[in-house]
Amino acid sequence: MSVVWTIAAAMLLVAAILTMVAILRGPSTLDRLVSLDVLIALCMCGLGVWAAYSLDSTVVPAIVALSLLSFVGSVAIARFRVRDDQT
């Protein structure tokens, strides 16, 4: 069963690295925002994998708080962002 946890962690790590590349290379702020949302979702998945691995449910409120914070932040940025072509 340890192999499953290792594979899950490795896949999440590779996805996080690719998402960081997308954040750094994103041509527009909206692309970077979507990549940041994906990175936060990967962090939540990582916390979920850790909670399943350690059989510790105290991480679940942190996952819920992170998801609510991510949602509110995404809505606020999408609402108040300035277009890239305007200076």
Side-chain angles (χ1 to χ4, degrees):
M1 199 65 172
S2 175
V3 175
V4 174
W5 302 119
T6 305
I7 291 172
M11 289 175 64
L12 286 171
L13 182 65
V14 169
I17 290 170
L18 291 174
T19 303
M20 286 299 296
V21 169
I23 288 174
L24 295 174
R25 291 187 64 199
S28 69
T29 56
L30 195 56
D31 292 330
R32 290 187 171 112
L33 174 67
V34 170
S35 298
L36 187 63
D37 283 341
V38 170
L39 187 64
I40 293 171
L42 286 170
C43 289
M44 290 186 294
C45 290
L47 285 173
V49 167
W50 173 254
Y53 173 73
S54 65
L55 298 175
D56 184 17
S57 64
T58 59
V59 183
V60 175
I63 296 171
V64 172
L66 191 58
S67 66
L68 289 173
L69 205 66
S70 172
F71 172 74
V72 170
S74 296
V75 169
I77 290 173
R79 171 72 175 100
F80 296 114
R81 83 173 187 98
V82 178
R83 288 188 164 290
D84 289 334
D85 57 351
Q86 294 176 352
T87 55

